[in-house]
Amino acid sequence: MSATPATPVLQTQGLGRRFGGLHAVSDVSFSVPEGQTLGVIGPNGAGKSTFINLVTGHIKPTSGTVLIDGKDLTGARPWVIAHAGVARTFQIVKPFRGMTVRENVAVGILYGPHGTGLMSKAREAADEVLEEVGLAHLGNRAPGELSVADARRLEFAKALALRPRLLLLDEVMAGLRHSEIEPSLELIGQLKARGITIVVVEHVMRAILAISDQVLVLHQGKVLTAGDPREVLSDPRVVEAYLGHRYAQRRGGKR
Ligand code: ADP
Ligand code: MG
């Protein structure tokens, strides 16, 4: 046995982001070992998407550090971080409208870390990824023609096309019907089995329980608690954070 523990794929130290006077994310120190899945939960406005954006370089931190495979990439540009093996989905899907589903994926491949610069090769690789996510039959369609579930799959395919070591998923199950959640879980399960390290932001608790090795709870930008999924989800403070938030929303109160 080695005396030094393996370097985590993702490590944040005191990570924070202010927007004016608002602390959207504060002092988040956390690490995700290789091959593990971290579930991130918390009420709306808790800072979950901002946390993802800080890791992927889409937003620059105002404090703290982000290490990918032990390398300090704090504040690096998104494509630099992508080239370090990091891919993500967006909570709000943003396909390129003038292109087919296949081309949407191919573009990511072309400009991604493993791109060869050849569109024909990129198209072939895109078809492989579309097959993996169950969209092979819709490659020639326009993204606007896709159902909500298929649009989410396309988001997935665009991220997977980069062949990431670390994949961050921002509410990929939002708006899905009950019957559509299972295939999505299966897909994440397959990625896990391949050894991809995953950070998943999700409100669907049965999904969080099914796929997470650890759960991190954000509340008002701070870590409320973290650890074993079942323990965390039964923690009265976590229940309170969710219920308190719903109550406040019903009353038209502030978050
Ligand atoms: P979550 O994903 O958990 O719902 P977000 O990370 O989107 O939460 O937002 C956390 C807080 O930061 C919210 O109060 C939100 O309004 C605020 N926020 C997020 N992005 C910005 C931004 N670009 N400018 C100003 N405020 C922002
Ligand atoms: Mg969000």
Side-chain angles (χ1 to χ4, degrees):
M1 234 178 79
S2 150
T4 44
T7 308
V9 169
L10 171 64
Q11 187 170 18
T12 67
Q13 294 164 335
L15 191 62
R17 170 69 204 211
R18 267 183 289 103
F19 292 111
L22 175 80
H23 291 266
V25 169
S26 324
D27 200 21
V28 175
S29 299
F30 205 76
S31 58
V32 191
E34 174 152 29
Q36 284 215 355
T37 297
L38 171 70
V40 179
I41 65 169
N44 286 329
K48 304 179 299 295
S49 292
T50 305
F51 176 71
I52 287 189
N53 284 324
L54 290 172
V55 169
T56 58
H58 290 84
I59 291 180
K60 292 196 189 305
T62 42
S63 55
T65 53
V66 175
L67 306 177
I68 306 290
D69 284 320
K71 190 173 167 197
D72 188 345
L73 289 175
T74 312
R77 307 254 176 195
W79 57 87
V80 174
I81 294 180
H83 279 239
V86 179
R88 55 92 52 87
T89 63
F90 287 89
Q91 186 172 352
I92 298 166
V93 300
K94 315 184 218 185
F96 301 114
R97 295 280 166 197
M99 297 180 185
T100 63
V101 165
R102 176 183 298 107
E103 286 162 353
N104 261 272
V105 178
V107 163
I109 295 169
L110 205 56
Y111 295 106
H114 309 291
T116 58
L118 279 177
M119 191 59 182
S120 57
K121 280 256 177 278
R123 278 212 195 84
E124 272 171 36
D127 280 334
E128 278 170 33
V129 181
L130 288 174
E131 182 78 48
E132 278 171 46
V133 305
L135 279 185
H137 59 300
L138 298 175
N140 291 325
R141 296 290 186 85
E145 295 176 299
L146 300 183
S147 67
V148 173
D150 287 339
R152 298 250 170 228
R153 277 169 195 279
L154 173 57
E155 237 348 73
F156 233 113
K158 283 161 66 184
L160 277 185
L162 303 177
R163 298 290 171 215
R165 276 172 53 65
L166 172 64
L167 177 63
L168 299 102
L169 304 172
D170 197 354
E171 297 203 29
V172 284
M173 295 176 204
L176 295 194
R177 291 195 211 108
H178 207 70
S179 60
E180 293 166 336
I181 289 179
E182 211 52 49
S184 191
L185 279 177
E186 267 170 37
L187 182 57
I188 296 175
Q190 285 164 19
L191 303 179
K192 262 182 90 130
R194 268 200 241 158
I196 300 179
T197 307
I198 303 173
V199 173
V200 49
V201 168
E202 198 52 67
H203 282 302
V204 181
M205 291 304 157
R206 82 178 164 91
I208 287 287
L209 273 177
I211 56 187
S212 307
D213 298 296
Q214 306 181 77
V215 169
L216 173 72
V217 185
L218 290 180
H219 185 44
Q220 297 173 349
K222 297 195 188 72
V223 178
L224 182 67
T225 183
D228 173 78
R230 266 160 225 289
E231 279 171 28
V232 164
L233 291 189
S234 57
D235 185 327
R237 289 173 302 163
V238 175
V239 177
E240 161 85 35
Y242 271 94
L243 293 183
H245 175 70
R246 288 213 188 109
Y247 181 70
Q249 263 187 339
R250 268 208 308 274
R251 296 282 306 267
K254 292 202 296 191
R255 1 185 214 250

